[in-house]
Amino acid sequence: LRVAGCGLQVFPNPCTGATRLRYLIHDIGYLISDLYSISGVRIRELVHEVKIPGSYAIEIDVSDLAPGIYIVRLQAGEQTGIRKLIVE
């Protein structure tokens, strides 16, 4: 899977109640995406499944999270994309 640069986008960012995660997959394979605290603790599993090539978007409800900085991590094969998410 090629996700280098990965077209991984998180918007709106900063956010309050919800945000969207958009990403592009070039090759079929297993995709893992999780939300982490800034200290590296996994808070939420976002996607853990096989994906075919294409563009995807999921909504992430962050209304239950404390304001702060979080990390969205996307891994597909040996490629990894990371974006900072700010919850207000």
Side-chain angles (χ1 to χ4, degrees):
L1 296 172
R2 269 188 325 239
V3 291
C6 65
L8 175 59
Q9 300 174 340
V10 179
F11 65 94
N13 192 11
C15 65
T16 51
T19 189
R20 289 186 72 95
L21 172 65
R22 292 185 59 173
Y23 55 93
L24 179 63
I25 300 296
H26 295 284
D27 302 309
I28 192 168
Y30 197 77
L31 180 108
I32 298 170
S33 182
D34 294 312
L35 180 66
Y36 293 87
S37 69
I38 194 68
S39 62
V41 175
R42 187 174 84 159
I43 295 173
R44 191 169 297 153
E45 179 180 297
L46 302 175
V47 179
H48 282 226
E49 60 189 34
V50 173
K51 293 288 190 181
I52 61 172
S55 180
Y56 295 89
I58 60 170
E59 186 166 304
I60 305 168
D61 180 8
V62 296
S63 62
D64 60 333
L65 298 179
I69 299 173
Y70 296 85
I71 303 296
V72 175
R73 182 176 184 268
L74 179 83
Q75 181 177 351
E78 298 196 15
Q79 300 294 320
T80 301
I82 297 173
R83 294 293 180 265
K84 180 171 43 173
L85 169 63
I86 300 170
V87 176
E88 295 183 324

